Amino acid sequence: DAGITQSPRYKITETGRQVTLMCHQTWSHSYMFWYRQDLGHGLRLIYYSAAADITDKGEVPDGYVVSRSKTENFPLTLESATRSQTSVYFCASSVSHRSQPQHFGDGTRLSIL
Amino acid sequence: DQQVKQNSPSLSVQEGRISILNCDYTNSMFDYFLWYKKYPAEGPTFLISISSIKDKNEDGRFTVFLNKSAKHLSLHIVPSQPGDSAVYFCAASLTDSWGKFQFGAGTQVVVTP
């Protein structure tokens, strides 16, 4: 089915470990985004990408790394996980950056012990 | 510094009545606004949007009003239905901001029979 999928849906890891969250979309949307959702903060942008090999920082990028070698994939890596990165992570995509809603995946709930 | 604020974390409304959700923003340069709806364990889904050149946009039971002078937008749901029970996020973006949206913290709506 066409859409945007995130994996894993749930992940538990320990502080200091590296973890990668995957995001795959089948629409060939140019723009992709990573958000984290925390109580009281809504959704905050971590990184975004305008096309393959073009990425830039959002509001809360520290401790995260992204890559986009193919249009359809936009993995998010926590290089050395910290407890403060416990959150629900959402990936989104949109056809253009102007006046277009974003389509979200169902999220990854990440717990860092 | 949260530039988009939803000051009511929750709202309870009777089925058939009107739900009014409010959102305030601080940056007068925001020119595009959206509302998303989110069910538990799912990603946000786009509901309705409005450009800053308009003051009202309607889609079925959902109407968004924009008051630029007050830096305020609201979402009206008429009539409210049990399936409307969800968290609602407002979001705003700047001109040429590459689709970087600022989200509010969300309002939990509960529609009671």
Side-chain angles (χ1 to χ4, degrees):
Chain A
D1 286 341
I4 183 164
T5 54
Q6 293 184 236
S7 60
R9 290 296 311 275
Y10 303 92
K11 177 76 178 178
I12 300 174
T13 190
E14 296 176 341
T15 56
R17 295 280 182 111
Q18 182 181 81
V19 59
T20 296
L21 310 184
M22 304 302 292
C23 179
H24 175 79
Q25 53 104 353
T26 59
W27 291 302
S28 299
H29 285 171
S30 295
Y31 291 81
M32 296 188 75
F33 309 84
W34 274 107
Y35 294 89
R36 58 179 289 174
Q37 183 193 4
D38 304 290
L39 199 62
H41 289 279
L43 293 153
R44 290 182 291 175
L45 183 66
I46 304 170
Y47 267 95
Y48 66 100
S49 169
D53 297 322
I54 301 175
T55 63
D56 205 350
K57 296 177 181 179
E59 185 184 351
V60 288
D62 293 343
Y64 303 95
V65 174
V66 293
S67 62
R68 194 161 176 213
S69 57
K70 292 184 178 181
T71 300
E72 61 267 29
N73 297 323
F74 190 38
L76 176 74
T77 298
L78 288 67
E79 293 190 299
S80 178
T82 65
R83 288 198 180 94
S84 65
Q85 293 177 308
T86 291
S87 187
V88 181
Y89 291 85
F90 289 98
C91 178
S93 71
S94 67
V95 65
S96 79
H97 71 290
R98 287 293 292 145
S99 302
Q100 290 290 332
Q102 296 171 8
H103 301 273
F104 285 80
D106 285 336
T108 294
R109 183 173 292 274
L110 178 63
S111 297
I112 299 163
L113 306 177
Chain B
D1 179 30
Q2 207 155 0
Q3 298 185 58
V4 178
K5 296 182 181 179
Q6 294 176 255
N7 292 319
S8 297
S10 64
L11 172 70
S12 183
V13 64
Q14 251 185 332
E15 184 177 358
R17 306 293 290 266
I18 183 171
S19 294
I20 300 176
L21 291 78
N22 294 304
C23 181
D24 296 297
Y25 60 95
T26 57
N27 191 334
S28 58
M29 298 301 292
F30 284 141
D31 66 347
Y32 184 58
F33 305 87
L34 306 92
W35 286 92
Y36 283 88
K37 177 179 179 178
K38 185 185 179 304
Y39 293 119
E42 294 184 10
T45 54
F46 169 71
L47 197 56
I48 193 168
S49 65
I50 189 166
S51 162
S52 60
I53 62 173
K54 295 185 176 181
D55 54 20
K56 177 182 173 181
N57 189 26
E58 211 168 335
D59 184 1
R61 295 186 297 114
F62 302 92
T63 303
V64 56
F65 295 92
L66 176 62
N67 183 334
K68 289 185 289 293
S69 60
K71 298 193 191 71
H72 177 84
L73 67 154
S74 62
L75 175 69
H76 293 207
I77 306 173
V78 184
S80 299
Q81 298 175 353
D84 296 331
S85 295
V87 176
Y88 291 79
F89 293 99
C90 68
S93 73
L94 294 164
T95 302
D96 295 326
S97 65
W98 291 84
K100 290 190 289 184
F101 286 93
Q102 294 270 346
F103 281 80
T107 296
Q108 171 76 60
V109 172
V110 176
V111 179
T112 58

PDB file of all heavy atoms in Angstrom, chain B residues 78-112:
ATOM      1  N   VAL B  78     -18.847  21.499  14.022  1.00  0.00           N
ATOM      2  CA  VAL B  78     -20.296  21.525  14.218  1.00  0.00           C
ATOM      3  C   VAL B  78     -20.978  20.537  13.268  1.00  0.00           C
ATOM      4  O   VAL B  78     -20.792  20.668  12.057  1.00  0.00           O
ATOM      5  CB  VAL B  78     -20.883  22.942  13.948  1.00  0.00           C
ATOM      6  CG1 VAL B  78     -22.363  22.966  14.250  1.00  0.00           C
ATOM      7  CG2 VAL B  78     -20.146  23.996  14.741  1.00  0.00           C
ATOM      8  N   PRO B  79     -21.781  19.612  13.754  1.00  0.00           N
ATOM      9  CA  PRO B  79     -21.925  19.261  15.168  1.00  0.00           C
ATOM     10  C   PRO B  79     -20.828  18.293  15.580  1.00  0.00           C
ATOM     11  O   PRO B  79     -20.292  17.554  14.744  1.00  0.00           O
ATOM     12  CB  PRO B  79     -23.289  18.562  15.190  1.00  0.00           C
ATOM     13  CG  PRO B  79     -23.378  17.903  13.848  1.00  0.00           C
ATOM     14  CD  PRO B  79     -22.658  18.815  12.878  1.00  0.00           C
ATOM     15  N   SER B  80     -20.483  18.276  16.816  1.00  0.00           N
ATOM     16  CA  SER B  80     -19.457  17.363  17.310  1.00  0.00           C
ATOM     17  C   SER B  80     -20.006  15.935  17.348  1.00  0.00           C
ATOM     18  O   SER B  80     -21.168  15.702  17.705  1.00  0.00           O
ATOM     19  CB  SER B  80     -19.010  17.778  18.715  1.00  0.00           C
ATOM     20  OG  SER B  80     -18.464  19.072  18.690  1.00  0.00           O
ATOM     21  N   GLN B  81     -19.119  15.008  16.993  1.00  0.00           N
ATOM     22  CA  GLN B  81     -19.497  13.591  16.959  1.00  0.00           C
ATOM     23  C   GLN B  81     -18.500  12.794  17.803  1.00  0.00           C
ATOM     24  O   GLN B  81     -17.357  13.230  17.997  1.00  0.00           O
ATOM     25  CB  GLN B  81     -19.483  13.086  15.515  1.00  0.00           C
ATOM     26  CG  GLN B  81     -20.462  13.784  14.611  1.00  0.00           C
ATOM     27  CD  GLN B  81     -20.333  13.348  13.161  1.00  0.00           C
ATOM     28  OE1 GLN B  81     -19.424  12.608  12.797  1.00  0.00           O
ATOM     29  NE2 GLN B  81     -21.262  13.803  12.330  1.00  0.00           N
ATOM     30  N   PRO B  82     -18.899  11.623  18.273  1.00  0.00           N
ATOM     31  CA  PRO B  82     -17.985  10.826  19.108  1.00  0.00           C
ATOM     32  C   PRO B  82     -16.641  10.559  18.437  1.00  0.00           C
ATOM     33  O   PRO B  82     -15.601  10.543  19.086  1.00  0.00           O
ATOM     34  CB  PRO B  82     -18.771   9.527  19.338  1.00  0.00           C
ATOM     35  CG  PRO B  82     -20.204   9.936  19.246  1.00  0.00           C
ATOM     36  CD  PRO B  82     -20.244  11.023  18.198  1.00  0.00           C
ATOM     37  N   GLY B  83     -16.653  10.376  17.114  1.00  0.00           N
ATOM     38  CA  GLY B  83     -15.415  10.130  16.380  1.00  0.00           C
ATOM     39  C   GLY B  83     -14.475  11.323  16.346  1.00  0.00           C
ATOM     40  O   GLY B  83     -13.327  11.201  15.929  1.00  0.00           O
ATOM     41  N   ASP B  84     -14.964  12.484  16.799  1.00  0.00           N
ATOM     42  CA  ASP B  84     -14.108  13.673  16.856  1.00  0.00           C
ATOM     43  C   ASP B  84     -13.234  13.673  18.103  1.00  0.00           C
ATOM     44  O   ASP B  84     -12.364  14.543  18.243  1.00  0.00           O
ATOM     45  CB  ASP B  84     -14.964  14.941  16.855  1.00  0.00           C
ATOM     46  CG  ASP B  84     -15.759  15.109  15.571  1.00  0.00           C
ATOM     47  OD1 ASP B  84     -15.297  14.626  14.520  1.00  0.00           O
ATOM     48  OD2 ASP B  84     -16.851  15.711  15.633  1.00  0.00           O
ATOM     49  N   SER B  85     -13.452  12.740  19.000  1.00  0.00           N
ATOM     50  CA  SER B  85     -12.622  12.651  20.211  1.00  0.00           C
ATOM     51  C   SER B  85     -11.196  12.304  19.793  1.00  0.00           C
ATOM     52  O   SER B  85     -10.926  11.220  19.259  1.00  0.00           O
ATOM     53  CB  SER B  85     -13.172  11.584  21.163  1.00  0.00           C
ATOM     54  OG  SER B  85     -14.448  11.940  21.643  1.00  0.00           O
ATOM     55  N   ALA B  86     -10.293  13.231  20.019  1.00  0.00           N
ATOM     56  CA  ALA B  86      -8.909  13.105  19.547  1.00  0.00           C
ATOM     57  C   ALA B  86      -8.128  14.290  20.089  1.00  0.00           C
ATOM     58  O   ALA B  86      -8.678  15.172  20.739  1.00  0.00           O
ATOM     59  CB  ALA B  86      -8.853  13.107  18.021  1.00  0.00           C
ATOM     60  N   VAL B  87      -6.834  14.289  19.803  1.00  0.00           N
ATOM     61  CA  VAL B  87      -6.011  15.465  20.104  1.00  0.00           C
ATOM     62  C   VAL B  87      -5.903  16.295  18.832  1.00  0.00           C
ATOM     63  O   VAL B  87      -5.667  15.754  17.745  1.00  0.00           O
ATOM     64  CB  VAL B  87      -4.607  15.063  20.588  1.00  0.00           C
ATOM     65  CG1 VAL B  87      -3.731  16.303  20.809  1.00  0.00           C
ATOM     66  CG2 VAL B  87      -4.710  14.256  21.878  1.00  0.00           C
ATOM     67  N   TYR B  88      -6.086  17.590  18.957  1.00  0.00           N
ATOM     68  CA  TYR B  88      -6.020  18.494  17.823  1.00  0.00           C
ATOM     69  C   TYR B  88      -4.818  19.425  17.980  1.00  0.00           C
ATOM     70  O   TYR B  88      -4.639  20.053  19.019  1.00  0.00           O
ATOM     71  CB  TYR B  88      -7.308  19.318  17.719  1.00  0.00           C
ATOM     72  CG  TYR B  88      -8.489  18.478  17.312  1.00  0.00           C
ATOM     73  CD1 TYR B  88      -9.134  17.683  18.255  1.00  0.00           C
ATOM     74  CD2 TYR B  88      -8.941  18.458  15.999  1.00  0.00           C
ATOM     75  CE1 TYR B  88     -10.213  16.875  17.891  1.00  0.00           C
ATOM     76  CE2 TYR B  88     -10.024  17.664  15.625  1.00  0.00           C
ATOM     77  CZ  TYR B  88     -10.643  16.881  16.578  1.00  0.00           C
ATOM     78  OH  TYR B  88     -11.698  16.085  16.220  1.00  0.00           O
ATOM     79  N   PHE B  89      -4.010  19.480  16.923  1.00  0.00           N
ATOM     80  CA  PHE B  89      -2.843  20.348  16.913  1.00  0.00           C
ATOM     81  C   PHE B  89      -3.048  21.451  15.887  1.00  0.00           C
ATOM     82  O   PHE B  89      -3.476  21.186  14.765  1.00  0.00           O
ATOM     83  CB  PHE B  89      -1.581  19.576  16.507  1.00  0.00           C
ATOM     84  CG  PHE B  89      -1.132  18.539  17.495  1.00  0.00           C
ATOM     85  CD1 PHE B  89      -1.437  17.199  17.319  1.00  0.00           C
ATOM     86  CD2 PHE B  89      -0.385  18.909  18.603  1.00  0.00           C
ATOM     87  CE1 PHE B  89      -1.011  16.243  18.223  1.00  0.00           C
ATOM     88  CE2 PHE B  89       0.051  17.954  19.513  1.00  0.00           C
ATOM     89  CZ  PHE B  89      -0.278  16.627  19.324  1.00  0.00           C
ATOM     90  N   CYS B  90      -2.715  22.666  16.251  1.00  0.00           N
ATOM     91  CA  CYS B  90      -2.610  23.703  15.238  1.00  0.00           C
ATOM     92  C   CYS B  90      -1.139  23.868  14.891  1.00  0.00           C
ATOM     93  O   CYS B  90      -0.247  23.562  15.706  1.00  0.00           O
ATOM     94  CB  CYS B  90      -3.234  25.011  15.692  1.00  0.00           C
ATOM     95  SG  CYS B  90      -2.383  25.845  17.028  1.00  0.00           S
ATOM     96  N   ALA B  91      -0.880  24.324  13.682  1.00  0.00           N
ATOM     97  CA  ALA B  91       0.483  24.488  13.216  1.00  0.00           C
ATOM     98  C   ALA B  91       0.545  25.715  12.317  1.00  0.00           C
ATOM     99  O   ALA B  91      -0.446  26.073  11.669  1.00  0.00           O
ATOM    100  CB  ALA B  91       0.953  23.247  12.463  1.00  0.00           C
ATOM    101  N   ALA B  92       1.711  26.347  12.285  1.00  0.00           N
ATOM    102  CA  ALA B  92       1.892  27.551  11.485  1.00  0.00           C
ATOM    103  C   ALA B  92       3.247  27.518  10.810  1.00  0.00           C
ATOM    104  O   ALA B  92       4.208  26.951  11.351  1.00  0.00           O
ATOM    105  CB  ALA B  92       1.783  28.789  12.386  1.00  0.00           C
ATOM    106  N   SER B  93       3.310  28.137   9.634  1.00  0.00           N
ATOM    107  CA  SER B  93       4.600  28.196   8.947  1.00  0.00           C
ATOM    108  C   SER B  93       4.842  29.594   8.381  1.00  0.00           C
ATOM    109  O   SER B  93       3.921  30.366   8.153  1.00  0.00           O
ATOM    110  CB  SER B  93       4.688  27.153   7.829  1.00  0.00           C
ATOM    111  OG  SER B  93       3.895  27.536   6.730  1.00  0.00           O
ATOM    112  N   LEU B  94       6.136  29.868   8.183  1.00  0.00           N
ATOM    113  CA  LEU B  94       6.569  31.152   7.643  1.00  0.00           C
ATOM    114  C   LEU B  94       6.743  31.061   6.138  1.00  0.00           C
ATOM    115  O   LEU B  94       6.980  29.984   5.594  1.00  0.00           O
ATOM    116  CB  LEU B  94       7.922  31.545   8.249  1.00  0.00           C
ATOM    117  CG  LEU B  94       7.957  31.832   9.736  1.00  0.00           C
ATOM    118  CD1 LEU B  94       9.399  31.819  10.227  1.00  0.00           C
ATOM    119  CD2 LEU B  94       7.341  33.181  10.002  1.00  0.00           C
ATOM    120  N   THR B  95       6.683  32.201   5.494  1.00  0.00           N
ATOM    121  CA  THR B  95       6.986  32.268   4.068  1.00  0.00           C
ATOM    122  C   THR B  95       8.365  31.686   3.798  1.00  0.00           C
ATOM    123  O   THR B  95       9.316  31.990   4.500  1.00  0.00           O
ATOM    124  CB  THR B  95       6.964  33.739   3.601  1.00  0.00           C
ATOM    125  OG1 THR B  95       5.689  34.277   3.896  1.00  0.00           O
ATOM    126  CG2 THR B  95       7.250  33.836   2.129  1.00  0.00           C
ATOM    127  N   ASP B  96       8.437  30.822   2.799  1.00  0.00           N
ATOM    128  CA  ASP B  96       9.704  30.235   2.366  1.00  0.00           C
ATOM    129  C   ASP B  96      10.466  29.548   3.485  1.00  0.00           C
ATOM    130  O   ASP B  96      11.694  29.626   3.568  1.00  0.00           O
ATOM    131  CB  ASP B  96      10.595  31.309   1.714  1.00  0.00           C
ATOM    132  CG  ASP B  96       9.964  31.825   0.429  1.00  0.00           C
ATOM    133  OD1 ASP B  96       9.298  31.026  -0.261  1.00  0.00           O
ATOM    134  OD2 ASP B  96      10.117  33.012   0.132  1.00  0.00           O
ATOM    135  N   SER B  97       9.733  28.924   4.376  1.00  0.00           N
ATOM    136  CA  SER B  97      10.389  28.262   5.508  1.00  0.00           C
ATOM    137  C   SER B  97      10.636  26.792   5.241  1.00  0.00           C
ATOM    138  O   SER B  97      10.880  26.034   6.172  1.00  0.00           O
ATOM    139  CB  SER B  97       9.528  28.423   6.763  1.00  0.00           C
ATOM    140  OG  SER B  97       8.300  27.736   6.604  1.00  0.00           O
ATOM    141  N   TRP B  98      10.551  26.389   3.984  1.00  0.00           N
ATOM    142  CA  TRP B  98      10.829  25.007   3.629  1.00  0.00           C
ATOM    143  C   TRP B  98       9.902  24.039   4.361  1.00  0.00           C
ATOM    144  O   TRP B  98      10.319  22.944   4.710  1.00  0.00           O
ATOM    145  CB  TRP B  98      12.288  24.654   3.903  1.00  0.00           C
ATOM    146  CG  TRP B  98      13.220  25.362   2.977  1.00  0.00           C
ATOM    147  CD1 TRP B  98      13.708  26.620   3.131  1.00  0.00           C
ATOM    148  CD2 TRP B  98      13.757  24.878   1.759  1.00  0.00           C
ATOM    149  NE1 TRP B  98      14.519  26.942   2.072  1.00  0.00           N
ATOM    150  CE2 TRP B  98      14.567  25.896   1.213  1.00  0.00           C
ATOM    151  CE3 TRP B  98      13.640  23.686   1.064  1.00  0.00           C
ATOM    152  CZ2 TRP B  98      15.248  25.754   0.016  1.00  0.00           C
ATOM    153  CZ3 TRP B  98      14.324  23.532  -0.136  1.00  0.00           C
ATOM    154  CH2 TRP B  98      15.116  24.560  -0.643  1.00  0.00           C
ATOM    155  N   GLY B  99       8.674  24.433   4.574  1.00  0.00           N
ATOM    156  CA  GLY B  99       7.714  23.524   5.187  1.00  0.00           C
ATOM    157  C   GLY B  99       7.948  23.294   6.655  1.00  0.00           C
ATOM    158  O   GLY B  99       7.416  22.354   7.233  1.00  0.00           O
ATOM    159  N   LYS B 100       8.738  24.130   7.296  1.00  0.00           N
ATOM    160  CA  LYS B 100       8.997  23.952   8.722  1.00  0.00           C
ATOM    161  C   LYS B 100       7.851  24.549   9.509  1.00  0.00           C
ATOM    162  O   LYS B 100       7.703  25.752   9.615  1.00  0.00           O
ATOM    163  CB  LYS B 100      10.316  24.624   9.105  1.00  0.00           C
ATOM    164  CG  LYS B 100      11.531  23.916   8.541  1.00  0.00           C
ATOM    165  CD  LYS B 100      12.816  24.438   9.126  1.00  0.00           C
ATOM    166  CE  LYS B 100      13.150  25.826   8.635  1.00  0.00           C
ATOM    167  NZ  LYS B 100      14.455  26.288   9.139  1.00  0.00           N
ATOM    168  N   PHE B 101       7.053  23.676  10.061  1.00  0.00           N
ATOM    169  CA  PHE B 101       5.899  24.111  10.810  1.00  0.00           C
ATOM    170  C   PHE B 101       6.207  24.182  12.303  1.00  0.00           C
ATOM    171  O   PHE B 101       6.943  23.360  12.839  1.00  0.00           O
ATOM    172  CB  PHE B 101       4.716  23.162  10.595  1.00  0.00           C
ATOM    173  CG  PHE B 101       4.072  23.301   9.259  1.00  0.00           C
ATOM    174  CD1 PHE B 101       4.456  22.501   8.201  1.00  0.00           C
ATOM    175  CD2 PHE B 101       3.094  24.252   9.045  1.00  0.00           C
ATOM    176  CE1 PHE B 101       3.873  22.625   6.955  1.00  0.00           C
ATOM    177  CE2 PHE B 101       2.507  24.395   7.803  1.00  0.00           C
ATOM    178  CZ  PHE B 101       2.890  23.580   6.758  1.00  0.00           C
ATOM    179  N   GLN B 102       5.616  25.151  12.950  1.00  0.00           N
ATOM    180  CA  GLN B 102       5.628  25.239  14.410  1.00  0.00           C
ATOM    181  C   GLN B 102       4.280  24.706  14.876  1.00  0.00           C
ATOM    182  O   GLN B 102       3.232  25.159  14.419  1.00  0.00           O
ATOM    183  CB  GLN B 102       5.780  26.694  14.856  1.00  0.00           C
ATOM    184  CG  GLN B 102       7.102  27.317  14.492  1.00  0.00           C
ATOM    185  CD  GLN B 102       8.150  27.125  15.577  1.00  0.00           C
ATOM    186  OE1 GLN B 102       7.822  26.746  16.701  1.00  0.00           O
ATOM    187  NE2 GLN B 102       9.396  27.389  15.245  1.00  0.00           N
ATOM    188  N   PHE B 103       4.324  23.760  15.797  1.00  0.00           N
ATOM    189  CA  PHE B 103       3.105  23.141  16.290  1.00  0.00           C
ATOM    190  C   PHE B 103       2.770  23.632  17.694  1.00  0.00           C
ATOM    191  O   PHE B 103       3.666  23.885  18.504  1.00  0.00           O
ATOM    192  CB  PHE B 103       3.267  21.618  16.342  1.00  0.00           C
ATOM    193  CG  PHE B 103       3.110  20.938  15.020  1.00  0.00           C
ATOM    194  CD1 PHE B 103       4.158  20.918  14.108  1.00  0.00           C
ATOM    195  CD2 PHE B 103       1.926  20.315  14.681  1.00  0.00           C
ATOM    196  CE1 PHE B 103       4.022  20.292  12.873  1.00  0.00           C
ATOM    197  CE2 PHE B 103       1.775  19.675  13.462  1.00  0.00           C
ATOM    198  CZ  PHE B 103       2.829  19.666  12.557  1.00  0.00           C
ATOM    199  N   GLY B 104       1.484  23.714  17.968  1.00  0.00           N
ATOM    200  CA  GLY B 104       1.044  23.931  19.334  1.00  0.00           C
ATOM    201  C   GLY B 104       1.122  22.626  20.118  1.00  0.00           C
ATOM    202  O   GLY B 104       1.400  21.564  19.551  1.00  0.00           O
ATOM    203  N   ALA B 105       0.861  22.716  21.414  1.00  0.00           N
ATOM    204  CA  ALA B 105       0.992  21.546  22.287  1.00  0.00           C
ATOM    205  C   ALA B 105      -0.186  20.580  22.177  1.00  0.00           C
ATOM    206  O   ALA B 105      -0.108  19.458  22.677  1.00  0.00           O
ATOM    207  CB  ALA B 105       1.170  21.986  23.728  1.00  0.00           C
ATOM    208  N   GLY B 106      -1.262  21.022  21.532  1.00  0.00           N
ATOM    209  CA  GLY B 106      -2.406  20.134  21.337  1.00  0.00           C
ATOM    210  C   GLY B 106      -3.518  20.357  22.346  1.00  0.00           C
ATOM    211  O   GLY B 106      -3.284  20.805  23.469  1.00  0.00           O
ATOM    212  N   THR B 107      -4.738  20.062  21.914  1.00  0.00           N
ATOM    213  CA  THR B 107      -5.921  20.095  22.778  1.00  0.00           C
ATOM    214  C   THR B 107      -6.626  18.752  22.655  1.00  0.00           C
ATOM    215  O   THR B 107      -6.958  18.326  21.549  1.00  0.00           O
ATOM    216  CB  THR B 107      -6.893  21.221  22.374  1.00  0.00           C
ATOM    217  OG1 THR B 107      -6.260  22.483  22.551  1.00  0.00           O
ATOM    218  CG2 THR B 107      -8.166  21.161  23.219  1.00  0.00           C
ATOM    219  N   GLN B 108      -6.827  18.104  23.798  1.00  0.00           N
ATOM    220  CA  GLN B 108      -7.543  16.819  23.822  1.00  0.00           C
ATOM    221  C   GLN B 108      -9.036  17.113  23.855  1.00  0.00           C
ATOM    222  O   GLN B 108      -9.534  17.746  24.789  1.00  0.00           O
ATOM    223  CB  GLN B 108      -7.149  16.015  25.052  1.00  0.00           C
ATOM    224  CG  GLN B 108      -7.989  14.759  25.280  1.00  0.00           C
ATOM    225  CD  GLN B 108      -7.610  13.636  24.342  1.00  0.00           C
ATOM    226  OE1 GLN B 108      -6.478  13.170  24.323  1.00  0.00           O
ATOM    227  NE2 GLN B 108      -8.570  13.176  23.544  1.00  0.00           N
ATOM    228  N   VAL B 109      -9.743  16.654  22.834  1.00  0.00           N
ATOM    229  CA  VAL B 109     -11.197  16.841  22.783  1.00  0.00           C
ATOM    230  C   VAL B 109     -11.875  15.527  23.119  1.00  0.00           C
ATOM    231  O   VAL B 109     -11.526  14.474  22.571  1.00  0.00           O
ATOM    232  CB  VAL B 109     -11.639  17.319  21.385  1.00  0.00           C
ATOM    233  CG1 VAL B 109     -13.154  17.314  21.274  1.00  0.00           C
ATOM    234  CG2 VAL B 109     -11.075  18.705  21.105  1.00  0.00           C
ATOM    235  N   VAL B 110     -12.831  15.600  24.023  1.00  0.00           N
ATOM    236  CA  VAL B 110     -13.650  14.433  24.368  1.00  0.00           C
ATOM    237  C   VAL B 110     -15.103  14.788  24.089  1.00  0.00           C
ATOM    238  O   VAL B 110     -15.626  15.766  24.646  1.00  0.00           O
ATOM    239  CB  VAL B 110     -13.471  14.033  25.848  1.00  0.00           C
ATOM    240  CG1 VAL B 110     -14.402  12.881  26.191  1.00  0.00           C
ATOM    241  CG2 VAL B 110     -12.026  13.657  26.125  1.00  0.00           C
ATOM    242  N   VAL B 111     -15.718  14.023  23.215  1.00  0.00           N
ATOM    243  CA  VAL B 111     -17.124  14.240  22.888  1.00  0.00           C
ATOM    244  C   VAL B 111     -17.944  13.204  23.646  1.00  0.00           C
ATOM    245  O   VAL B 111     -17.770  11.996  23.452  1.00  0.00           O
ATOM    246  CB  VAL B 111     -17.371  14.122  21.373  1.00  0.00           C
ATOM    247  CG1 VAL B 111     -18.842  14.336  21.052  1.00  0.00           C
ATOM    248  CG2 VAL B 111     -16.500  15.123  20.619  1.00  0.00           C
ATOM    249  N   THR B 112     -18.815  13.694  24.496  1.00  0.00           N
ATOM    250  CA  THR B 112     -19.609  12.797  25.346  1.00  0.00           C
ATOM    251  C   THR B 112     -21.017  12.629  24.782  1.00  0.00           C
ATOM    252  O   THR B 112     -21.543  13.543  24.149  1.00  0.00           O
ATOM    253  CB  THR B 112     -19.691  13.350  26.765  1.00  0.00           C
ATOM    254  OG1 THR B 112     -20.267  14.670  26.719  1.00  0.00           O
ATOM    255  CG2 THR B 112     -18.315  13.441  27.397  1.00  0.00           C
TER     256      THR B 112
END
